[in-house]
């Protein structure tokens, strides 16, 4: 092993892969076979965090940053004058195994620039996964990036060896994509997703009949959208996410605030700030859709197409629906308790359990982990609540912003507990 | 006031609890022998001899009342080494005996129960961090060795995780503070209690030839995967508290 050369490649190809956020290791369920290496559980592990506060659970690299395309938002684009490198299949396998053995990572996230054509590239990615599974007996997590335009046969093989596959939509709207990546075509990007989705549902059917059907992309699919490179609004973005959750059974949609790294007339200028707060609000909306039973239309509507940057979307919903409050903690159903600002999933569950034993008051609520400074305006206890008089107050929003200096203030990231 | 002294094991503690009921002690405190410094000179002491039979009976009762997962919570309180842990466990078991048909561990409005839930949360967090922050280093003899220094005694809680994950390599995890560890030799995965403390000076000289190379690769990867435009050190430190840094390859 030539370690110096390997180090140089790793630096280039990790650097080029770092803007992709659609990478996490949760959702794998590959159990270790006797005497082999690796075991993935449903919730992956963040083995460390970068200085920007993001979780590192996978070795995230490009196979190569050579690319025949010229997408404006991408550092690997062909017209960008940068150092290029390419790993061999063996090198990626060696790094993955040796990092895994030292407990640095949960597995591999492998993506690539497109060299020659889609199939050649996809074939090489598949070869890495295949070698890891068949020759190294590796049961850790593997996430492959599908290359738009890759053939169904290759996607089929990829799904046999990888846990998760993803195609990044990158730009949420078709018009935006036309502008920034004229050589790419949205239909071609989506077609591998459709293929995998069909494969997964077929797998689920067959599993009911035959016990030993080979796993097929068991951790499902995910995608990423870049936010703020083009000028779509939040409503459009949420609707796209909702569409893909519903029609493609996506496991996750990731939002990546655009980091201006390239000078281009079509893009925001290099001095534009990364829209971290907006990105955070989108993740919060996404949570509301996935875990809180909110519909996309409830979070935003055409008269209000952007998320409020001052307050989180759940609070924003509550302030627009004051008629639904106050909510009685002793009698309300779980779904409604979930909608109280300052109360998250865990606390809501505890409330429903604890109220069987006694009548809850403000003090209990605090102990159960609610953010009482927000929740107190929206709740009625059996014995009443002095803060309820503010519920109809014109300035409730101001009152709430003033009272909520949370410890997470100014730290906007999808990794946080959001409510 | 009666003081019960037990041997410091979980079975010992359950035996002690059994004897509290058996002898109908009213006003008691329970101490592990090594933490007991005879503070209360007016207390009568009662020495508990660990008896698996008695422990087993408490265990059975608890299993009926609060289930395996409830017992697991009490075990975590025990492993937290919290100075109050014996008192809280006794209190929970007494509550459970009074209300055998309820899962009393869900009565969060009770102060001791709330404490249990808090302690479990902290222990779980530490357990999780140890599955994440353990860094194996390959030694000349091919064994992958990791040293840890957790705030709570979590080795019993992480054993299964590593046993499932690393079946084709020999490995050891060693708790520097408590001076014991687990060892997997491709067949068995057992606790070990060395006579002498680990000599850290000699340790690095026994690294496998490749070890420093992979450590360097990992360090470079860690730097290169960071997006400087999004730097947020406060968040970073919140996730990776400084007390873990000296054992993390990428932070050295
Ligand atoms: S095809 Fe992919 S790697 Fe190539 S320029 Fe476009 S986004 Fe970048």
């Amino acid at each position: 092993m030539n370690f110096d050369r390997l180090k140089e490649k790793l630096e280039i190809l990790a650097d080029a892969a770092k803007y992709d956020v659609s990478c996490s290791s949760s959702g794998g369920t590959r159990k270790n076979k006797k005497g082999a290496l690796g075991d993935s559980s449903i919730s992956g592990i963040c083995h460390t965090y970068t200085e920007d506060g993001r979780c590192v659970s996978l070795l995230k690299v490009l196979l190569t940053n050579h690319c025949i395309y010229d997408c404006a938002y991408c550092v690997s684009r062909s017209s960008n004058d940068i150092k290029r490198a390419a790993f061999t299949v063996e090198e990626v396998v060696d790094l993955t195994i040796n990092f895994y053995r030292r407990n640095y990572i949960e597995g591999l996230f492998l993506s690539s620039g497109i060299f020659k054509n889609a199939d050649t590239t996809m074939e090489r990615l598949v070869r890495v996964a295949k070698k890891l599974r068949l020759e190294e007996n590796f049961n850790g997590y593997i996430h492959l990036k599908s290359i738009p335009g890759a053939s169904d046969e290759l996607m089929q093989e990829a799904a046999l060896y990888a846990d998760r596959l993803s195609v990044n939509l990158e730009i949420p709207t078709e018009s935006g994509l036309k502008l920034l990546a004229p050589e790419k075509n949205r239909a071609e990007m989506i077609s591998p997703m459709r293929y995998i989705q069909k494969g997964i549902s077929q797998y689920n059917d067959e599993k009911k009949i035959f016990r030993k059907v080979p796993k097929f992309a068991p951790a499902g699919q995910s995608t990423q959208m870049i936010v703020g490179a083009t000028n779509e609004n939040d409503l459009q973005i949420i609707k796209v996410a909702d569409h893909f959750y519903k029609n493609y059974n996506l496991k996750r949609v990731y939002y990546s605030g655009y980091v201006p790294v390239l000078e281009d007339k079509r893009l925001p200028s290099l001095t534009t700030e990364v829209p971290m707060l907006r990105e955070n609000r989108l993740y919060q909306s996404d949570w509301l859709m996935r875990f809180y039973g909110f519909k996309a239309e409830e979070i935003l509507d055409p008269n209000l197409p952007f998320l409020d940057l001052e307050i989180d979307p759940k609070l924003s919903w509550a302030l627009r629906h004051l008629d639904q409050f106050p909510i009685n903690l002793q009698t309300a159903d779980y779904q409604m308790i979930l909608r109280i600002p300052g109360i998250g999933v865990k606390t809501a569950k505890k409330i429903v359990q604890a109220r069987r034993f006694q009548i809850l008051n403000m003090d209990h609520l605090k102990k159960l982990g609610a953010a009482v400074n927000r929740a107190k305006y929206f709740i009625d206890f059996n014995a009443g609540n002095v803060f309820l008089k503010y519920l109809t107050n014109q300035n409730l929003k101001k009152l709430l912003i003033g009272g909520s200096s949370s410890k997470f203030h100014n730290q906007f990231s999808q990794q946080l507990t959001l409510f | 006031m009666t003081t019960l002294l037990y041997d410091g094991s979980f079975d010992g503690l359950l035996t002690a609890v059994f004897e509290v009921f058996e002898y109908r002690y009213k006003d008691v405190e329970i101490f592990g022998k090594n933490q007991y410094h005879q503070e209360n000179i007016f207390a009568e002491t009662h020495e508990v001899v660990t008896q698996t039979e008695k422990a087993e009976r408490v265990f059975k009762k608890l299993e009926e009342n609060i289930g395996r997962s409830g017992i697991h919570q009490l075990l975590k309180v025990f492993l937290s080494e919290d100075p109050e842990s014996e008192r809280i466990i006794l209190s929970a078991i007494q509550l459970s005996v009074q209300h055998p048909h309820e899962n009393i561990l869900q009565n969060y409005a009770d102060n001791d129960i709330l404490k249990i839930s808090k302690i479990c949360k902290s222990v779980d967090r530490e357990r999780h961090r140890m599955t994440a922050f353990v860094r194996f280093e390959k030694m000349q003899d091919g064994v992958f060795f990791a040293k840890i220094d957790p705030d709570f005694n979590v080795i019993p809680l992480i054993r299964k995780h590593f046993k499932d994950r690393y079946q084709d390599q020999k490995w050891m995890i060693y708790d520097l503070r408590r001076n014991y560890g687990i060892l997997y030799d491709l067949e068995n995965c057992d606790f070990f209690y060395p006579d002498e403390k680990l000599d850290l000076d000699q340790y690095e000289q026994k690294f496998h030839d490749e070890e420093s190379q992979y450590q360097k690769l990992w360090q470079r990867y860690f730097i290169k995967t960071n997006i400087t435009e999004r730097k947020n050190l406060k968040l970073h430190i919140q996730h990776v508290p400084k007390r873990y840094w000296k054992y993390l390859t990428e932070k050295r």
Side-chain angles (χ1 to χ4, degrees):
Chain A
M1 191 66 52
N2 180 344
F3 282 106
D4 288 338
R5 181 72 191 115
L6 191 58
K7 194 170 100 213
E8 199 180 337
K9 286 188 190 180
L10 181 62
E11 289 182 350
I12 295 171
L13 296 168
D15 193 67
K18 71 185 175 188
Y19 299 103
D20 197 327
V21 294
S22 73
C23 118
S24 81
S25 59
S26 51
T29 51
R30 211 169 279 272
K31 286 276 149 266
N32 198 355
K33 302 178 198 96
K34 201 166 172 31
L37 176 66
D39 188 76
S40 3
S41 58
I42 201 84
S43 56
I45 295 174
C46 297
H47 283 277
T48 189
Y49 292 83
T50 53
E51 291 193 350
D52 58 38
R54 287 172 314 139
C55 152
V56 179
S57 69
L58 303 174
L59 169 62
K60 177 168 62 168
V61 288
L62 298 187
L63 188 61
T64 177
N65 64 342
H66 289 284
C67 191
I68 53 175
Y69 288 117
D70 203 32
C71 309
Y73 47 81
C74 174
V75 280
S76 302
R77 68 176 188 176
S78 58
S79 65
N80 198 18
D81 183 19
I82 47 163
K83 262 197 189 168
R84 306 277 169 174
F87 279 127
T88 63
V89 170
E90 288 71 25
E91 284 168 337
V92 181
V93 169
D94 183 81
L95 280 172
T96 308
I97 294 290
N98 273 291
F99 281 7
Y100 195 89
R101 288 199 182 287
R102 288 167 175 77
N103 204 40
Y104 299 163
I105 53 169
E106 294 284 283
L108 172 68
F109 172 82
L110 188 61
S111 169
S112 183
I114 301 172
F115 55 97
K116 276 201 194 119
N117 55 46
D119 271 358
T120 323
T121 313
M122 193 70 217
E123 191 270 337
R124 198 73 60 87
L125 297 180
V126 171
R127 239 201 287 161
V128 172
K130 198 169 173 176
K131 193 173 164 72
L132 278 168
R133 294 281 189 238
L134 301 185
E135 289 175 33
E136 303 288 337
N137 263 320
F138 177 69
N139 295 303
Y141 191 82
I142 301 179
H143 178 161
L144 294 184
K145 182 66 77 58
S146 327
I147 304 297
S151 69
D152 286 356
E153 292 75 46
L154 280 168
M155 291 311 299
Q156 167 78 22
E157 254 206 305
L160 289 179
Y161 302 112
D163 293 287
R164 175 170 284 181
L165 293 155
S166 64
V167 178
N168 286 354
L169 288 169
E170 305 292 19
I171 304 300
T173 57
E174 188 154 7
S175 56
L177 189 71
K178 274 237 161 62
L179 179 72
L180 297 184
E183 301 145 308
K184 273 192 177 164
N185 127 12
R186 194 163 162 106
E188 219 177 54
M189 290 168 78
I190 295 174
S191 87
M193 277 175 155
R194 179 59 79 202
Y195 182 80
I196 297 299
Q197 188 222 347
K198 280 196 191 132
I200 290 175
S201 67
Q202 188 187 339
Y203 165 78
N204 288 333
D205 290 344
E206 284 175 9
K207 207 172 55 180
K208 289 177 202 141
I209 311 169
F210 314 109
R211 242 177 310 145
K212 286 223 149 140
V213 199
K215 277 192 185 327
F216 192 92
Q221 307 193 70
S222 63
T223 194
Q224 153 177 307
M225 292 190 262
I226 298 176
V227 177
T230 42
N231 51 14
E232 64 288 309
N233 62 41
D234 293 334
L235 179 60
Q236 281 172 299
I237 296 175
I238 291 175
K239 286 263 176 163
V240 173
D242 191 45
H243 171 80
F244 278 90
Y245 280 131
K246 285 203 182 109
N247 299 305
Y248 291 80
N249 300 103
L250 248 60
K251 280 282 168 21
R252 281 295 299 271
V253 174
Y254 293 85
Y255 309 89
S256 166
Y258 177 68
V259 182
V261 279
L262 299 164
E263 190 73 69
D264 190 305
K265 290 196 296 296
R266 293 166 291 171
L267 287 169
S269 82
L270 282 180
T271 53
T272 314
E273 268 189 47
V274 184
M276 307 258 269
L277 184 48
R278 187 177 173 203
E279 177 192 293
N280 181 250
R281 293 280 180 249
L282 283 166
Y283 276 110
Q284 291 177 323
S285 308
D286 200 86
W287 276 63
L288 291 184
M289 294 197 284
R290 291 188 298 134
F291 302 118
Y292 286 73
F294 279 80
K295 299 201 185 74
E297 306 79 66
E298 288 184 284
I299 297 166
L300 288 172
D301 62 59
N303 304 322
L304 187 88
F306 280 99
L307 292 162
D308 194 331
L309 292 185
E310 279 183 324
I311 52 174
D312 70 65
K314 189 169 135 184
L315 180 55
S316 166
W317 178 86
L319 289 175
R320 283 180 280 128
H321 295 86
L322 290 178
D323 54 308
Q324 312 232 13
F325 296 93
I327 287 169
N328 184 308
L329 271 202
Q330 216 60 33
T331 56
D333 67 9
Y334 171 72
Q335 284 302 329
M336 242 6 248
I337 291 178
L338 265 186
R339 294 201 168 207
I340 302 170
I343 291 183
V345 173
K346 275 193 192 146
T347 305
K349 285 193 179 140
K350 279 191 180 160
I351 288 171
V352 179
Q353 289 176 336
R355 71 184 181 186
R356 294 188 286 124
F357 295 93
Q358 64 198 91
I359 295 178
L360 301 177
N361 59 33
M362 192 79 82
D363 218 31
H364 295 132
L365 197 61
K366 197 179 246 162
K367 286 182 184 165
L368 295 179
V372 175
N373 54 356
R374 260 178 296 161
K376 66 185 177 194
Y377 301 107
F378 301 92
I379 291 174
D380 198 7
F381 301 100
N382 280 1
N385 172 5
V386 290
F387 291 98
L388 277 185
K389 61 173 187 271
Y390 295 103
L391 188 58
T392 50
N393 191 317
Q394 292 292 318
N395 291 324
L396 182 54
K397 179 172 168 182
K398 276 220 184 78
L399 213 64
L400 279 155
I401 297 174
S404 69
S405 56
S406 105
K407 64 179 169 173
F408 296 135
H409 198 60
N410 265 332
Q411 297 179 12
F412 309 112
S413 158
Q414 70 273 28
Q415 311 292 355
L416 297 178
T417 321
L418 293 167
F419 297 103
Chain B
M1 171 74 77
T2 313
T3 299
L4 274 67
L5 292 180
Y6 74 107
D7 62 2
S9 71
F10 194 55
D11 271 352
L13 178 56
L14 293 187
T15 310
V17 171
F18 185 91
E19 294 188 350
V20 170
F21 283 92
E22 188 180 17
Y23 301 120
R24 296 176 202 279
Y25 289 132
K26 283 272 132 47
D27 198 11
V28 287
E29 43 185 14
I30 306 178
F31 281 109
K33 270 184 204 151
N34 48 359
Q35 339 141 322
Y36 181 64
H37 309 291
Q38 197 144 31
E39 278 141 17
N40 190 345
I41 47 166
F42 299 108
E44 269 188 48
T45 56
H46 165 85
E47 191 128 349
V48 176
V49 182
T50 301
Q51 293 173 50
T52 35
E53 221 176 282
K54 288 183 177 179
E56 195 67 22
R57 279 175 63 183
V58 178
F59 195 93
K60 277 262 156 59
K61 187 93 220 141
L62 285 174
E63 201 173 8
E64 281 166 29
N65 293 3
I66 55 173
R68 287 254 160 176
S69 72
I71 297 173
H72 203 66
Q73 274 171 277
L74 298 184
L75 177 67
K76 281 181 205 160
V77 174
F78 176 73
L79 294 174
S80 75
E81 301 172 342
D82 187 292
E84 281 204 295
S85 64
E86 285 92 353
R87 188 188 67 70
I88 301 172
I89 291 171
L90 176 63
S91 147
I93 297 178
Q94 283 171 331
L95 259 180
S96 173
V97 170
Q98 281 163 28
H99 307 277
H101 304 296
E102 309 258 29
N103 185 352
I104 46 95
L105 292 179
Q106 288 178 354
N107 182 12
Y108 302 108
D110 179 276
N111 270 335
D112 283 336
I113 299 298
L114 192 69
K115 251 182 216 155
I116 290 180
S117 124
K118 287 217 166 105
I119 291 176
C120 282
K121 205 169 153 198
S122 311
V123 172
D124 276 335
R125 192 199 290 130
E126 188 78 345
R127 187 207 93 91
H128 182 80
R129 279 179 172 155
M130 282 306 125
T131 59
F133 295 163
V134 155
R135 293 289 176 263
F136 285 119
E137 297 176 300
K138 192 175 180 180
M139 310 304 287
Q140 278 159 11
D141 56 8
V143 176
F144 285 80
F145 190 95
K147 40 196 192 334
I148 60 173
D149 180 15
D151 273 2
F152 310 117
N153 183 12
V154 294
I155 279 199
L157 301 175
I158 58 175
R159 175 165 164 267
K160 182 174 181 324
H161 170 86
F162 284 99
K163 188 168 162 265
D164 289 345
R165 182 164 294 213
Y166 297 105
Q167 293 187 21
D168 75 339
Q169 70 189 39
K170 294 184 183 173
W171 53 266
M172 284 165 100
I173 300 173
Y174 177 76
D175 184 332
L176 289 165
R177 194 183 301 184
R178 295 167 191 82
N179 195 34
Y180 84 110
I182 9 174
L183 162 69
Y184 173 71
D185 63 1
L186 298 181
E187 294 204 355
N188 300 309
C189 186
D190 290 321
F191 297 105
F192 68 93
Y193 305 86
D195 300 333
E196 282 171 45
K197 285 215 162 180
L198 175 78
D199 182 349
L200 288 175
D201 286 336
Q202 278 202 8
Y203 168 72
E204 284 192 16
Q205 291 165 18
K206 293 185 192 149
F207 277 172
H208 191 276
D209 296 342
E210 284 174 352
E211 181 53 33
S212 66
Q213 298 289 358
Y214 284 108
Q215 294 196 3
K216 253 182 237 148
L217 286 169
W218 176 242
Q219 285 155 353
R220 293 308 299 167
Y221 174 75
F222 180 72
I223 290 169
K224 283 296 175 181
T225 198
N226 176 46
I227 301 177
T228 42
E229 292 89 339
R230 301 179 59 126
K231 186 165 177 161
N232 188 343
L233 270 183
K234 213 173 133 196
L235 186 61
H236 172 68
I237 289 168
Q238 186 187 313
H239 286 312
V240 195
K242 282 192 171 154
R243 63 193 165 94
Y244 299 103
W245 286 16
K246 59 180 178 220
Y247 303 105
L248 289 172
T249 314
E250 65 275 16
K251 299 301 290 178
R252 282 200 298 252

